[in-house]
Amino acid sequence: MTTQTLEKPAKIAMNGVDVPTFLATLGVVGETPQIAQFTFRANGEWLSGTHSRTAFPGFHGAMQEMQHRRDYAVESDHPQVLCGEDNGVTPVELLLAALASCITAGIGNIASIRQVKLHAVDTKIEGDINLNGILGLDKTARNGFTGIRMAVSIRGDAPQEKLREIVEQSVARSAVFDVLSNGVPVSVELAG
């Protein structure tokens, strides 16, 4: 037996993820943990009625100020049935999108690290809300979601058990799932 037969094959880029660079990044962060401290930002602007636009002016990460490669913004509004003009999705729908996106991104990364070729990942997510709380009509009704359900469909070149493990690890490592499940301190102050 030679040394070559004992070595594991090098991991390759897969599913649109540059696995060698991802692994190198993990190594650097392991050696210098403060690189992992990030602060993300979003700046909201009221447009009219319930319509607003939120831009993402950059973030602090990897120990420096950084910019996205282009400007991003999302618009939000309420549907007409809720006295809006339906110029965008509701803020709570954006929250559902954030959860679906975070879990899906994690699946892509984890599958790639494990060298599992993905064929499809689809998520369906729903959140239940009783608007009587927001409207101030029922002091016992919660303002936010009372429950969120997400179904993940995943197909790839691995047994179903391994695909399920990938989904489970993505949920366990999801920042958005963590915030929704465990809460996070939020402060609001009147500026200027």
Side-chain angles (χ1 to χ4, degrees), residues 11-49:
K11 294 193 176 190
I12 60 170
M14 183 170 287
N15 304 317
V17 176
D18 182 346
V19 175
T21 299
F22 190 97
L23 292 172
T25 301
L26 289 175
V28 169
V29 173
E31 294 171 7
T32 313
Q34 61 268 33
I35 289 175
Q37 300 300 318
F38 277 65
T39 300
F40 291 99
R41 301 180 189 104
N43 293 345
E45 170 190 15
W46 172 75
L47 299 174
S48 177

PDB file of all heavy atoms in Angstrom, residues 11-49:
ATOM      1  N   LYS A  11     -11.446  17.528  -2.006  1.00  0.00           N
ATOM      2  CA  LYS A  11     -12.826  17.956  -2.237  1.00  0.00           C
ATOM      3  C   LYS A  11     -12.821  18.993  -3.358  1.00  0.00           C
ATOM      4  O   LYS A  11     -11.933  19.829  -3.439  1.00  0.00           O
ATOM      5  CB  LYS A  11     -13.433  18.500  -0.961  1.00  0.00           C
ATOM      6  CG  LYS A  11     -13.570  17.404   0.087  1.00  0.00           C
ATOM      7  CD  LYS A  11     -14.435  17.815   1.227  1.00  0.00           C
ATOM      8  CE  LYS A  11     -14.579  16.621   2.175  1.00  0.00           C
ATOM      9  NZ  LYS A  11     -15.576  16.837   3.176  1.00  0.00           N
ATOM     10  N   ILE A  12     -13.837  18.896  -4.187  1.00  0.00           N
ATOM     11  CA  ILE A  12     -13.930  19.773  -5.346  1.00  0.00           C
ATOM     12  C   ILE A  12     -15.136  20.700  -5.224  1.00  0.00           C
ATOM     13  O   ILE A  12     -16.045  20.455  -4.434  1.00  0.00           O
ATOM     14  CB  ILE A  12     -14.042  18.959  -6.655  1.00  0.00           C
ATOM     15  CG1 ILE A  12     -15.292  18.068  -6.621  1.00  0.00           C
ATOM     16  CG2 ILE A  12     -12.786  18.116  -6.872  1.00  0.00           C
ATOM     17  CD1 ILE A  12     -15.630  17.413  -7.943  1.00  0.00           C
ATOM     18  N   ALA A  13     -15.115  21.765  -6.011  1.00  0.00           N
ATOM     19  CA  ALA A  13     -16.260  22.673  -6.068  1.00  0.00           C
ATOM     20  C   ALA A  13     -17.484  21.871  -6.505  1.00  0.00           C
ATOM     21  O   ALA A  13     -17.398  20.979  -7.340  1.00  0.00           O
ATOM     22  CB  ALA A  13     -15.989  23.806  -7.048  1.00  0.00           C
ATOM     23  N   MET A  14     -18.622  22.199  -5.895  1.00  0.00           N
ATOM     24  CA  MET A  14     -19.833  21.439  -6.182  1.00  0.00           C
ATOM     25  C   MET A  14     -21.046  22.303  -5.869  1.00  0.00           C
ATOM     26  O   MET A  14     -21.010  23.109  -4.942  1.00  0.00           O
ATOM     27  CB  MET A  14     -19.848  20.166  -5.346  1.00  0.00           C
ATOM     28  CG  MET A  14     -21.023  19.244  -5.610  1.00  0.00           C
ATOM     29  SD  MET A  14     -20.802  17.654  -4.810  1.00  0.00           S
ATOM     30  CE  MET A  14     -19.542  16.938  -5.842  1.00  0.00           C
ATOM     31  N   ASN A  15     -22.107  22.135  -6.636  1.00  0.00           N
ATOM     32  CA  ASN A  15     -23.379  22.823  -6.405  1.00  0.00           C
ATOM     33  C   ASN A  15     -23.222  24.345  -6.398  1.00  0.00           C
ATOM     34  O   ASN A  15     -23.958  25.054  -5.730  1.00  0.00           O
ATOM     35  CB  ASN A  15     -24.024  22.383  -5.090  1.00  0.00           C
ATOM     36  CG  ASN A  15     -24.243  20.903  -5.000  1.00  0.00           C
ATOM     37  OD1 ASN A  15     -24.684  20.276  -5.960  1.00  0.00           O
ATOM     38  ND2 ASN A  15     -23.923  20.309  -3.861  1.00  0.00           N
ATOM     39  N   GLY A  16     -22.232  24.864  -7.108  1.00  0.00           N
ATOM     40  CA  GLY A  16     -21.992  26.302  -7.131  1.00  0.00           C
ATOM     41  C   GLY A  16     -21.221  26.813  -5.926  1.00  0.00           C
ATOM     42  O   GLY A  16     -21.094  28.021  -5.741  1.00  0.00           O
ATOM     43  N   VAL A  17     -20.701  25.914  -5.104  1.00  0.00           N
ATOM     44  CA  VAL A  17     -19.925  26.293  -3.917  1.00  0.00           C
ATOM     45  C   VAL A  17     -18.458  25.958  -4.165  1.00  0.00           C
ATOM     46  O   VAL A  17     -18.125  24.832  -4.515  1.00  0.00           O
ATOM     47  CB  VAL A  17     -20.426  25.554  -2.655  1.00  0.00           C
ATOM     48  CG1 VAL A  17     -19.553  25.884  -1.444  1.00  0.00           C
ATOM     49  CG2 VAL A  17     -21.886  25.905  -2.380  1.00  0.00           C
ATOM     50  N   ASP A  18     -17.577  26.943  -3.986  1.00  0.00           N
ATOM     51  CA  ASP A  18     -16.137  26.733  -4.114  1.00  0.00           C
ATOM     52  C   ASP A  18     -15.657  26.069  -2.822  1.00  0.00           C
ATOM     53  O   ASP A  18     -15.245  26.738  -1.870  1.00  0.00           O
ATOM     54  CB  ASP A  18     -15.433  28.068  -4.348  1.00  0.00           C
ATOM     55  CG  ASP A  18     -13.935  27.929  -4.540  1.00  0.00           C
ATOM     56  OD1 ASP A  18     -13.364  26.855  -4.244  1.00  0.00           O
ATOM     57  OD2 ASP A  18     -13.316  28.916  -4.988  1.00  0.00           O
ATOM     58  N   VAL A  19     -15.749  24.757  -2.777  1.00  0.00           N
ATOM     59  CA  VAL A  19     -15.460  23.997  -1.561  1.00  0.00           C
ATOM     60  C   VAL A  19     -14.025  24.202  -1.074  1.00  0.00           C
ATOM     61  O   VAL A  19     -13.816  24.428   0.127  1.00  0.00           O
ATOM     62  CB  VAL A  19     -15.798  22.498  -1.753  1.00  0.00           C
ATOM     63  CG1 VAL A  19     -15.383  21.676  -0.539  1.00  0.00           C
ATOM     64  CG2 VAL A  19     -17.295  22.329  -2.032  1.00  0.00           C
ATOM     65  N   PRO A  20     -12.993  24.151  -1.933  1.00  0.00           N
ATOM     66  CA  PRO A  20     -11.638  24.383  -1.415  1.00  0.00           C
ATOM     67  C   PRO A  20     -11.489  25.749  -0.727  1.00  0.00           C
ATOM     68  O   PRO A  20     -10.866  25.841   0.333  1.00  0.00           O
ATOM     69  CB  PRO A  20     -10.756  24.274  -2.670  1.00  0.00           C
ATOM     70  CG  PRO A  20     -11.526  23.353  -3.578  1.00  0.00           C
ATOM     71  CD  PRO A  20     -12.962  23.723  -3.352  1.00  0.00           C
ATOM     72  N   THR A  21     -12.085  26.788  -1.303  1.00  0.00           N
ATOM     73  CA  THR A  21     -12.011  28.112  -0.672  1.00  0.00           C
ATOM     74  C   THR A  21     -12.812  28.129   0.624  1.00  0.00           C
ATOM     75  O   THR A  21     -12.384  28.718   1.625  1.00  0.00           O
ATOM     76  CB  THR A  21     -12.524  29.197  -1.647  1.00  0.00           C
ATOM     77  OG1 THR A  21     -11.687  29.199  -2.803  1.00  0.00           O
ATOM     78  CG2 THR A  21     -12.509  30.572  -1.005  1.00  0.00           C
ATOM     79  N   PHE A  22     -13.966  27.480   0.638  1.00  0.00           N
ATOM     80  CA  PHE A  22     -14.781  27.403   1.856  1.00  0.00           C
ATOM     81  C   PHE A  22     -13.982  26.724   2.964  1.00  0.00           C
ATOM     82  O   PHE A  22     -13.947  27.201   4.102  1.00  0.00           O
ATOM     83  CB  PHE A  22     -16.072  26.637   1.559  1.00  0.00           C
ATOM     84  CG  PHE A  22     -17.087  26.692   2.664  1.00  0.00           C
ATOM     85  CD1 PHE A  22     -18.122  27.601   2.621  1.00  0.00           C
ATOM     86  CD2 PHE A  22     -17.018  25.822   3.741  1.00  0.00           C
ATOM     87  CE1 PHE A  22     -19.067  27.651   3.638  1.00  0.00           C
ATOM     88  CE2 PHE A  22     -17.951  25.865   4.765  1.00  0.00           C
ATOM     89  CZ  PHE A  22     -18.973  26.785   4.718  1.00  0.00           C
ATOM     90  N   LEU A  23     -13.336  25.616   2.661  1.00  0.00           N
ATOM     91  CA  LEU A  23     -12.546  24.903   3.661  1.00  0.00           C
ATOM     92  C   LEU A  23     -11.351  25.739   4.130  1.00  0.00           C
ATOM     93  O   LEU A  23     -11.029  25.740   5.325  1.00  0.00           O
ATOM     94  CB  LEU A  23     -12.083  23.554   3.114  1.00  0.00           C
ATOM     95  CG  LEU A  23     -13.203  22.533   2.882  1.00  0.00           C
ATOM     96  CD1 LEU A  23     -12.666  21.301   2.163  1.00  0.00           C
ATOM     97  CD2 LEU A  23     -13.882  22.152   4.187  1.00  0.00           C
ATOM     98  N   ALA A  24     -10.721  26.455   3.205  1.00  0.00           N
ATOM     99  CA  ALA A  24      -9.612  27.333   3.591  1.00  0.00           C
ATOM    100  C   ALA A  24     -10.104  28.445   4.512  1.00  0.00           C
ATOM    101  O   ALA A  24      -9.434  28.806   5.490  1.00  0.00           O
ATOM    102  CB  ALA A  24      -8.956  27.919   2.342  1.00  0.00           C
ATOM    103  N   THR A  25     -11.292  28.979   4.226  1.00  0.00           N
ATOM    104  CA  THR A  25     -11.884  30.010   5.076  1.00  0.00           C
ATOM    105  C   THR A  25     -12.134  29.472   6.479  1.00  0.00           C
ATOM    106  O   THR A  25     -11.847  30.145   7.477  1.00  0.00           O
ATOM    107  CB  THR A  25     -13.191  30.543   4.453  1.00  0.00           C
ATOM    108  OG1 THR A  25     -12.892  31.089   3.163  1.00  0.00           O
ATOM    109  CG2 THR A  25     -13.844  31.593   5.329  1.00  0.00           C
ATOM    110  N   LEU A  26     -12.665  28.255   6.566  1.00  0.00           N
ATOM    111  CA  LEU A  26     -12.873  27.634   7.882  1.00  0.00           C
ATOM    112  C   LEU A  26     -11.556  27.541   8.650  1.00  0.00           C
ATOM    113  O   LEU A  26     -11.510  27.788   9.853  1.00  0.00           O
ATOM    114  CB  LEU A  26     -13.486  26.245   7.729  1.00  0.00           C
ATOM    115  CG  LEU A  26     -14.940  26.176   7.265  1.00  0.00           C
ATOM    116  CD1 LEU A  26     -15.353  24.718   7.059  1.00  0.00           C
ATOM    117  CD2 LEU A  26     -15.860  26.862   8.244  1.00  0.00           C
ATOM    118  N   GLY A  27     -10.490  27.200   7.949  1.00  0.00           N
ATOM    119  CA  GLY A  27      -9.184  27.101   8.594  1.00  0.00           C
ATOM    120  C   GLY A  27      -8.697  28.436   9.116  1.00  0.00           C
ATOM    121  O   GLY A  27      -8.208  28.539  10.254  1.00  0.00           O
ATOM    122  N   VAL A  28      -8.855  29.487   8.321  1.00  0.00           N
ATOM    123  CA  VAL A  28      -8.416  30.824   8.731  1.00  0.00           C
ATOM    124  C   VAL A  28      -9.241  31.302   9.931  1.00  0.00           C
ATOM    125  O   VAL A  28      -8.690  31.840  10.891  1.00  0.00           O
ATOM    126  CB  VAL A  28      -8.524  31.822   7.549  1.00  0.00           C
ATOM    127  CG1 VAL A  28      -8.324  33.253   8.016  1.00  0.00           C
ATOM    128  CG2 VAL A  28      -7.511  31.466   6.470  1.00  0.00           C
ATOM    129  N   VAL A  29     -10.547  31.112   9.874  1.00  0.00           N
ATOM    130  CA  VAL A  29     -11.405  31.537  10.983  1.00  0.00           C
ATOM    131  C   VAL A  29     -11.075  30.728  12.235  1.00  0.00           C
ATOM    132  O   VAL A  29     -11.081  31.267  13.346  1.00  0.00           O
ATOM    133  CB  VAL A  29     -12.901  31.420  10.611  1.00  0.00           C
ATOM    134  CG1 VAL A  29     -13.782  31.695  11.820  1.00  0.00           C
ATOM    135  CG2 VAL A  29     -13.241  32.376   9.471  1.00  0.00           C
ATOM    136  N   GLY A  30     -10.757  29.461  12.081  1.00  0.00           N
ATOM    137  CA  GLY A  30     -10.357  28.653  13.227  1.00  0.00           C
ATOM    138  C   GLY A  30      -9.107  29.188  13.902  1.00  0.00           C
ATOM    139  O   GLY A  30      -8.977  29.146  15.125  1.00  0.00           O
ATOM    140  N   GLU A  31      -8.173  29.733  13.108  1.00  0.00           N
ATOM    141  CA  GLU A  31      -6.938  30.291  13.652  1.00  0.00           C
ATOM    142  C   GLU A  31      -7.120  31.704  14.205  1.00  0.00           C
ATOM    143  O   GLU A  31      -6.405  32.120  15.115  1.00  0.00           O
ATOM    144  CB  GLU A  31      -5.858  30.314  12.568  1.00  0.00           C
ATOM    145  CG  GLU A  31      -5.421  28.929  12.133  1.00  0.00           C
ATOM    146  CD  GLU A  31      -4.517  28.955  10.908  1.00  0.00           C
ATOM    147  OE1 GLU A  31      -4.119  30.057  10.462  1.00  0.00           O
ATOM    148  OE2 GLU A  31      -4.215  27.869  10.385  1.00  0.00           O
ATOM    149  N   THR A  32      -8.065  32.467  13.633  1.00  0.00           N
ATOM    150  CA  THR A  32      -8.315  33.851  14.038  1.00  0.00           C
ATOM    151  C   THR A  32      -9.822  34.043  14.208  1.00  0.00           C
ATOM    152  O   THR A  32     -10.500  34.563  13.311  1.00  0.00           O
ATOM    153  CB  THR A  32      -7.750  34.835  12.976  1.00  0.00           C
ATOM    154  OG1 THR A  32      -6.432  34.455  12.627  1.00  0.00           O
ATOM    155  CG2 THR A  32      -7.762  36.268  13.484  1.00  0.00           C
ATOM    156  N   PRO A  33     -10.380  33.623  15.331  1.00  0.00           N
ATOM    157  CA  PRO A  33     -11.836  33.629  15.509  1.00  0.00           C
ATOM    158  C   PRO A  33     -12.509  34.992  15.342  1.00  0.00           C
ATOM    159  O   PRO A  33     -13.664  35.061  14.935  1.00  0.00           O
ATOM    160  CB  PRO A  33     -12.027  33.100  16.928  1.00  0.00           C
ATOM    161  CG  PRO A  33     -10.778  32.351  17.232  1.00  0.00           C
ATOM    162  CD  PRO A  33      -9.685  33.036  16.465  1.00  0.00           C
ATOM    163  N   GLN A  34     -11.807  36.094  15.623  1.00  0.00           N
ATOM    164  CA  GLN A  34     -12.441  37.409  15.509  1.00  0.00           C
ATOM    165  C   GLN A  34     -12.810  37.757  14.065  1.00  0.00           C
ATOM    166  O   GLN A  34     -13.638  38.639  13.837  1.00  0.00           O
ATOM    167  CB  GLN A  34     -11.594  38.515  16.147  1.00  0.00           C
ATOM    168  CG  GLN A  34     -10.236  38.720  15.541  1.00  0.00           C
ATOM    169  CD  GLN A  34      -9.130  37.919  16.215  1.00  0.00           C
ATOM    170  OE1 GLN A  34      -9.362  36.802  16.704  1.00  0.00           O
ATOM    171  NE2 GLN A  34      -7.932  38.453  16.218  1.00  0.00           N
ATOM    172  N   ILE A  35     -12.268  37.047  13.102  1.00  0.00           N
ATOM    173  CA  ILE A  35     -12.653  37.258  11.698  1.00  0.00           C
ATOM    174  C   ILE A  35     -14.139  36.947  11.504  1.00  0.00           C
ATOM    175  O   ILE A  35     -14.786  37.500  10.627  1.00  0.00           O
ATOM    176  CB  ILE A  35     -11.790  36.384  10.760  1.00  0.00           C
ATOM    177  CG1 ILE A  35     -10.359  36.923  10.720  1.00  0.00           C
ATOM    178  CG2 ILE A  35     -12.365  36.328   9.357  1.00  0.00           C
ATOM    179  CD1 ILE A  35      -9.403  36.065   9.914  1.00  0.00           C
ATOM    180  N   ALA A  36     -14.686  36.099  12.342  1.00  0.00           N
ATOM    181  CA  ALA A  36     -16.075  35.664  12.198  1.00  0.00           C
ATOM    182  C   ALA A  36     -17.094  36.670  12.732  1.00  0.00           C
ATOM    183  O   ALA A  36     -18.297  36.468  12.580  1.00  0.00           O
ATOM    184  CB  ALA A  36     -16.271  34.321  12.893  1.00  0.00           C
ATOM    185  N   GLN A  37     -16.661  37.773  13.332  1.00  0.00           N
ATOM    186  CA  GLN A  37     -17.583  38.769  13.879  1.00  0.00           C
ATOM    187  C   GLN A  37     -18.077  39.686  12.754  1.00  0.00           C
ATOM    188  O   GLN A  37     -17.287  40.414  12.157  1.00  0.00           O
ATOM    189  CB  GLN A  37     -16.897  39.597  14.971  1.00  0.00           C
ATOM    190  CG  GLN A  37     -16.409  38.764  16.140  1.00  0.00           C
ATOM    191  CD  GLN A  37     -17.545  38.030  16.828  1.00  0.00           C
ATOM    192  OE1 GLN A  37     -18.617  38.568  17.051  1.00  0.00           O
ATOM    193  NE2 GLN A  37     -17.293  36.772  17.154  1.00  0.00           N
ATOM    194  N   PHE A  38     -19.368  39.634  12.460  1.00  0.00           N
ATOM    195  CA  PHE A  38     -19.972  40.436  11.394  1.00  0.00           C
ATOM    196  C   PHE A  38     -21.080  41.308  11.959  1.00  0.00           C
ATOM    197  O   PHE A  38     -21.742  40.935  12.928  1.00  0.00           O
ATOM    198  CB  PHE A  38     -20.579  39.530  10.311  1.00  0.00           C
ATOM    199  CG  PHE A  38     -19.595  39.040   9.284  1.00  0.00           C
ATOM    200  CD1 PHE A  38     -18.553  38.191   9.644  1.00  0.00           C
ATOM    201  CD2 PHE A  38     -19.711  39.413   7.957  1.00  0.00           C
ATOM    202  CE1 PHE A  38     -17.652  37.728   8.710  1.00  0.00           C
ATOM    203  CE2 PHE A  38     -18.820  38.954   7.007  1.00  0.00           C
ATOM    204  CZ  PHE A  38     -17.778  38.114   7.376  1.00  0.00           C
ATOM    205  N   THR A  39     -21.304  42.454  11.359  1.00  0.00           N
ATOM    206  CA  THR A  39     -22.451  43.313  11.640  1.00  0.00           C
ATOM    207  C   THR A  39     -23.095  43.650  10.302  1.00  0.00           C
ATOM    208  O   THR A  39     -22.462  44.283   9.446  1.00  0.00           O
ATOM    209  CB  THR A  39     -22.028  44.610  12.362  1.00  0.00           C
ATOM    210  OG1 THR A  39     -21.397  44.269  13.593  1.00  0.00           O
ATOM    211  CG2 THR A  39     -23.229  45.505  12.622  1.00  0.00           C
ATOM    212  N   PHE A  40     -24.336  43.204  10.132  1.00  0.00           N
ATOM    213  CA  PHE A  40     -25.079  43.495   8.906  1.00  0.00           C
ATOM    214  C   PHE A  40     -25.981  44.692   9.153  1.00  0.00           C
ATOM    215  O   PHE A  40     -26.415  44.936  10.279  1.00  0.00           O
ATOM    216  CB  PHE A  40     -25.886  42.271   8.468  1.00  0.00           C
ATOM    217  CG  PHE A  40     -25.013  41.144   7.990  1.00  0.00           C
ATOM    218  CD1 PHE A  40     -24.708  40.087   8.830  1.00  0.00           C
ATOM    219  CD2 PHE A  40     -24.481  41.163   6.713  1.00  0.00           C
ATOM    220  CE1 PHE A  40     -23.891  39.054   8.403  1.00  0.00           C
ATOM    221  CE2 PHE A  40     -23.659  40.139   6.276  1.00  0.00           C
ATOM    222  CZ  PHE A  40     -23.361  39.082   7.119  1.00  0.00           C
ATOM    223  N   ARG A  41     -26.279  45.439   8.083  1.00  0.00           N
ATOM    224  CA  ARG A  41     -27.062  46.666   8.211  1.00  0.00           C
ATOM    225  C   ARG A  41     -28.176  46.703   7.177  1.00  0.00           C
ATOM    226  O   ARG A  41     -28.027  46.175   6.071  1.00  0.00           O
ATOM    227  CB  ARG A  41     -26.161  47.874   8.004  1.00  0.00           C
ATOM    228  CG  ARG A  41     -25.009  47.954   8.981  1.00  0.00           C
ATOM    229  CD  ARG A  41     -24.141  49.200   8.727  1.00  0.00           C
ATOM    230  NE  ARG A  41     -22.960  49.117   9.540  1.00  0.00           N
ATOM    231  CZ  ARG A  41     -21.757  48.792   9.072  1.00  0.00           C
ATOM    232  NH1 ARG A  41     -21.566  48.556   7.795  1.00  0.00           N
ATOM    233  NH2 ARG A  41     -20.724  48.739   9.893  1.00  0.00           N
ATOM    234  N   ALA A  42     -29.245  47.378   7.551  1.00  0.00           N
ATOM    235  CA  ALA A  42     -30.344  47.636   6.628  1.00  0.00           C
ATOM    236  C   ALA A  42     -30.900  49.014   6.956  1.00  0.00           C
ATOM    237  O   ALA A  42     -31.084  49.348   8.127  1.00  0.00           O
ATOM    238  CB  ALA A  42     -31.439  46.574   6.778  1.00  0.00           C
ATOM    239  N   ASN A  43     -31.137  49.832   5.949  1.00  0.00           N
ATOM    240  CA  ASN A  43     -31.667  51.175   6.134  1.00  0.00           C
ATOM    241  C   ASN A  43     -33.027  51.277   5.471  1.00  0.00           C
ATOM    242  O   ASN A  43     -33.137  51.159   4.249  1.00  0.00           O
ATOM    243  CB  ASN A  43     -30.728  52.231   5.521  1.00  0.00           C
ATOM    244  CG  ASN A  43     -29.402  52.322   6.256  1.00  0.00           C
ATOM    245  OD1 ASN A  43     -29.255  51.822   7.370  1.00  0.00           O
ATOM    246  ND2 ASN A  43     -28.426  52.955   5.630  1.00  0.00           N
ATOM    247  N   GLY A  44     -34.065  51.507   6.275  1.00  0.00           N
ATOM    248  CA  GLY A  44     -35.426  51.595   5.767  1.00  0.00           C
ATOM    249  C   GLY A  44     -35.840  53.029   5.484  1.00  0.00           C
ATOM    250  O   GLY A  44     -35.397  53.963   6.155  1.00  0.00           O
ATOM    251  N   GLU A  45     -36.720  53.186   4.507  1.00  0.00           N
ATOM    252  CA  GLU A  45     -37.226  54.498   4.113  1.00  0.00           C
ATOM    253  C   GLU A  45     -38.716  54.385   3.818  1.00  0.00           C
ATOM    254  O   GLU A  45     -39.136  53.547   3.015  1.00  0.00           O
ATOM    255  CB  GLU A  45     -36.468  54.955   2.850  1.00  0.00           C
ATOM    256  CG  GLU A  45     -37.023  56.170   2.176  1.00  0.00           C
ATOM    257  CD  GLU A  45     -36.396  56.435   0.810  1.00  0.00           C
ATOM    258  OE1 GLU A  45     -35.740  55.522   0.250  1.00  0.00           O
ATOM    259  OE2 GLU A  45     -36.592  57.534   0.309  1.00  0.00           O
ATOM    260  N   TRP A  46     -39.519  55.193   4.472  1.00  0.00           N
ATOM    261  CA  TRP A  46     -40.955  55.229   4.225  1.00  0.00           C
ATOM    262  C   TRP A  46     -41.198  55.894   2.882  1.00  0.00           C
ATOM    263  O   TRP A  46     -40.605  56.927   2.564  1.00  0.00           O
ATOM    264  CB  TRP A  46     -41.654  56.005   5.340  1.00  0.00           C
ATOM    265  CG  TRP A  46     -43.105  56.252   5.084  1.00  0.00           C
ATOM    266  CD1 TRP A  46     -44.114  55.355   5.174  1.00  0.00           C
ATOM    267  CD2 TRP A  46     -43.699  57.485   4.702  1.00  0.00           C
ATOM    268  NE1 TRP A  46     -45.316  55.941   4.870  1.00  0.00           N
ATOM    269  CE2 TRP A  46     -45.076  57.262   4.569  1.00  0.00           C
ATOM    270  CE3 TRP A  46     -43.201  58.766   4.447  1.00  0.00           C
ATOM    271  CZ2 TRP A  46     -45.970  58.258   4.212  1.00  0.00           C
ATOM    272  CZ3 TRP A  46     -44.085  59.763   4.092  1.00  0.00           C
ATOM    273  CH2 TRP A  46     -45.460  59.496   3.973  1.00  0.00           C
ATOM    274  N   LEU A  47     -42.049  55.305   2.060  1.00  0.00           N
ATOM    275  CA  LEU A  47     -42.378  55.880   0.760  1.00  0.00           C
ATOM    276  C   LEU A  47     -43.763  56.521   0.772  1.00  0.00           C
ATOM    277  O   LEU A  47     -43.918  57.667   0.383  1.00  0.00           O
ATOM    278  CB  LEU A  47     -42.267  54.818  -0.332  1.00  0.00           C
ATOM    279  CG  LEU A  47     -40.867  54.205  -0.494  1.00  0.00           C
ATOM    280  CD1 LEU A  47     -40.879  53.062  -1.494  1.00  0.00           C
ATOM    281  CD2 LEU A  47     -39.853  55.264  -0.890  1.00  0.00           C
ATOM    282  N   SER A  48     -44.770  55.762   1.229  1.00  0.00           N
ATOM    283  CA  SER A  48     -46.133  56.281   1.306  1.00  0.00           C
ATOM    284  C   SER A  48     -47.023  55.214   1.929  1.00  0.00           C
ATOM    285  O   SER A  48     -46.836  54.023   1.661  1.00  0.00           O
ATOM    286  CB  SER A  48     -46.647  56.629  -0.094  1.00  0.00           C
ATOM    287  OG  SER A  48     -47.993  57.064  -0.045  1.00  0.00           O
ATOM    288  N   GLY A  49     -47.968  55.632   2.734  1.00  0.00           N
ATOM    289  CA  GLY A  49     -48.887  54.665   3.324  1.00  0.00           C
ATOM    290  C   GLY A  49     -48.141  53.586   4.076  1.00  0.00           C
ATOM    291  O   GLY A  49     -47.398  53.863   5.011  1.00  0.00           O
TER     292      GLY A  49
END
